[in-house]
Amino acid sequence: NMAFIVEFMDFPRRRVMNVVGWAGPSREFYWYLSTLEHWAQLNGAKEIRGYGPERAMRHARHFGFEEIYRVYRKELGKDMPC
């Protein structure tokens, strides 16, 4: 079994389903992908996006995903100049 956490993001010209996270055996991802795609389309999405560590991107490439940007962060409150 697998679990997905998703959100829908509305842009001016398209609706996107963003996969925030997923859990389960990687080998089962393929079996759930078509259901996920169908559900996204039923909800008006034109594409699916997701983010995660590099190993997740390597896995996602096998299923037709492509890297479009990288996410970066900065923790606030540490080593901040006054």
Side-chain angles (χ1 to χ4, degrees), residues 67-81:
E67 185 174 324
I68 56 174
Y69 59 85
R70 294 184 182 244
V71 176
Y72 47 91
R73 73 179 183 126
K74 181 181 189 317
E75 246 184 272
L76 300 177
K78 294 185 177 184
D79 302 314
M80 297 288 295

Side-chain angles (χ1 to χ4, degrees), residues 8-19:
F8 287 94
M9 302 182 323
D10 293 308
F11 294 96
R13 295 194 173 151
R14 70 178 43 223
R15 186 165 214 220
V16 174
M17 185 175 80
N18 186 38
V19 178

Side-chain angles (χ1 to χ4, degrees), residues 1-45:
N1 292 335
M2 295 199 73
F4 291 90
I5 300 168
V6 301
E7 65 183 352
F8 287 94
M9 302 182 323
D10 293 308
F11 294 96
R13 295 194 173 151
R14 70 178 43 223
R15 186 165 214 220
V16 174
M17 185 175 80
N18 186 38
V19 178
V20 178
W22 60 277
S26 296
R27 66 185 175 279
E28 292 184 19
F29 183 83
Y30 175 76
W31 299 108
Y32 288 92
L33 183 58
S34 62
T35 301
L36 195 66
E37 290 172 345
H38 181 69
W39 191 68
Q41 289 176 328
L42 286 175
N43 284 278

